[in-house]
Amino acid sequence: MAVRRIVKRLALISSAALLAPLSSPAFAETSAAAQFDTEQFDCRQLAEWDQPESPLEWFERSLWASHCHVFQARAVRIGIDGVRTLALSRDIQDGVEREVARFLDGPPVFFERRGRIGRMNWSSDDEGVPASPAGIARHIDQYYRLSLGSDERIANRGAMRLDIEPLDGMRFGQRLWLDSETALPLKRELIDDRGRVVETFQLTELQPPRLHEGGVVLDAYREPQQQSWYPAWLPEGFVDQPVDSDAERQDPAVGHRIYSDGLSTLSLFVEPIEEGQERLIPGLHRLGISLAVVRHVMADERPLQVVVMGELPPRVLVQVAENMAWREAAE
């Protein structure tokens, strides 16, 4: 079933869960058929920017740094499914970012993503700074409390701790340790709504990162594709985002929508249930560090399978799944 293949792919991505550089909504995936805007962000200007002072400035700088630095690293991921070690690499070719993760133990997994700086829906086309890092920083400041912790040492580098605490119980928090020199994330802890650390991802060895001497492509501003269905309820601050997925293009029957508050992300899938095809079991499922809620519903006299997935409290995923709505055919 198409949704099963897509959810399996997202579970793999969740298992890789590679700090801000790979998981940030500021990163827009691309494909060979993607059309780029000619506008670019010149990474060399980061060397001229003043040192961040406030927590929000550190957060925004970490996003820019994640787009503009080239490096190789080793890392360890500690989650409910055990401990895994990884080799990471990141480079920029012709303004397009390429990030690779390879698990060094357990089942062999190779994960690659190519993309550019996403603009997404909190950055309008006519803004003075139309790229996501600035827009994300403004947006999350409404839903999270950011504070600076003590200086520490991660991967033999000085680090500044950044605590990101949700202002409600609708999303998870994070603790980030940012490289004091570059603002690159060196460690991340994902903290659930009960205050428990559900995943730790930490670089153990980082070759000296190099600032890219050129530009990184900014994604063209895109409106999200409309579907015949939509969530009638979402936690405050979650905004509809464009979807650019190879899996979706290969399975046109699957409807896919993404919503993000700038830090947390919801993925929604709707697929017709065909007679004789295997179905996902309704209920709550764990996929790596993500959770997924599956429902079978009737809409327009057709049986449909709904999957809501994300690193969010289970009750939030359930409430989204139970409040799906369909537009009238005339619309």
Side-chain angles (χ1 to χ4, degrees):
M1 184 168 279
V3 163
R4 181 181 291 275
R5 292 195 296 272
I6 293 175
V7 170
K8 183 178 180 181
R9 176 174 180 268
L10 289 177
L12 173 62
I13 294 173
S14 172
S15 296
L18 304 178
L19 289 175
L22 293 188
S23 61
S24 168
F27 186 97
E29 286 192 76
T30 185
S31 66
Q35 296 296 316
F36 290 122
D37 191 349
T38 57
E39 188 176 357
Q40 297 191 5
F41 174 79
D42 188 349
C43 290
R44 291 170 291 190
Q45 63 183 292
L46 289 183
E48 303 174 358
W49 289 1
D50 294 334
Q51 181 86 344
E53 295 182 357
S54 71
L56 196 61
E57 288 174 352
W58 272 103
F59 177 78
E60 182 182 339
R61 184 68 59 85
S62 74
L63 295 180
W64 288 115
S66 297
H67 285 295
C68 284
H69 282 86
V70 175
F71 62 85
Q72 292 185 337
R74 295 292 178 96
V76 60
R77 173 190 174 272
I78 305 171
I80 61 171
D81 53 350
V83 180
R84 302 290 299 273
T85 54
L86 306 94
L88 311 176
S89 66
R90 189 177 193 287
D91 60 13
I92 301 171
Q93 300 175 357
D94 298 324
V96 178
E97 303 167 58
R98 177 177 179 266
E99 298 167 327
V100 176
R102 179 168 53 90
F103 285 102
L104 302 178
D105 50 22
V109 176
F110 178 85
F111 175 78
E112 178 179 2
R113 183 182 293 185
R114 296 175 183 267
R116 63 279 190 189
I117 300 178
R119 301 192 182 197
M120 306 197 175
N121 262 15
W122 40 72
S123 299
S124 66
D125 194 31
D126 57 356
E127 282 195 48
V129 185
S132 277
I136 287 177
R138 290 195 298 268
H139 192 79
I140 73 159
D141 195 36
Q142 303 175 64
Y143 305 102
Y144 296 87
R145 179 182 297 107
L146 281 69
S147 59
L148 294 175
S150 59
D151 294 345
E152 300 186 31
R153 194 160 188 81
I154 306 291
N156 201 33
R157 298 179 68 90
M160 172 71 70
R161 197 185 80 199
L162 179 62
D163 297 334
I164 306 176
E165 180 185 359
L167 297 177
D168 55 30
M170 299 293 181
R171 57 208 94 211
F172 287 177
Q174 295 187 16
R175 279 193 290 264
L176 295 176
W177 283 259
L178 306 179
D179 182 42
S180 299
E181 180 181 345
T182 65
L184 281 171
L186 302 177
K187 178 180 177 180
R188 182 190 76 160
E189 289 182 347
L190 183 65
I191 304 168
D192 69 11
D193 53 330
R194 298 182 181 181
R196 302 173 299 186
V197 176
V198 295
E199 186 200 50
T200 298
F201 189 94
Q202 177 176 334
L203 301 188
T204 57
E205 181 181 348
L206 175 64
Q207 295 185 7
R210 176 176 58 85
L211 187 63
H212 177 58
E213 296 182 356
V216 177
V217 175
L218 296 173
D219 185 28
Y221 179 74
R222 296 176 293 157
E223 291 289 345
Q225 184 178 0
Q226 292 299 309
Q227 302 280 354
S228 61
W229 52 271
Y230 61 95
W233 179 88
L234 285 171
E236 187 177 359
F238 278 78
V239 182
D240 199 357
Q241 303 299 332
V243 175
D244 188 6
S245 166
D246 290 334
E248 185 190 24
R249 285 192 292 272
Q250 294 168 5
D251 299 293
V254 180
H256 181 196
R257 302 186 77 159
I258 295 176
Y259 296 84
S260 176
D261 68 355
L263 201 64
S264 302
T265 300
L266 272 170
S267 290
L268 279 64
F269 303 90
V270 173
E271 177 187 33
I273 298 177
E274 304 295 343
E275 186 175 354
Q277 284 189 331
E278 183 183 7
R279 307 180 185 186
L280 297 174
I281 299 174
L284 182 67
H285 304 264
R286 180 169 292 280
L287 302 170
I289 60 171
S290 292
L291 295 171
V293 172
V294 177
R295 290 190 69 221
H296 296 159
V297 301
M298 293 291 296
D300 297 328
E301 300 182 350
R302 298 181 64 192
L304 300 172
Q305 181 167 259
V306 175
V307 179
V308 180
M309 179 178 177
E311 297 169 17
L312 293 163
R315 59 185 177 83
V316 172
L317 300 177
V318 170
Q319 191 166 349
V320 173
E322 291 179 346
N323 285 274
M324 299 295 293
W326 276 258
R327 295 183 174 88
E328 297 291 337
E331 293 183 26

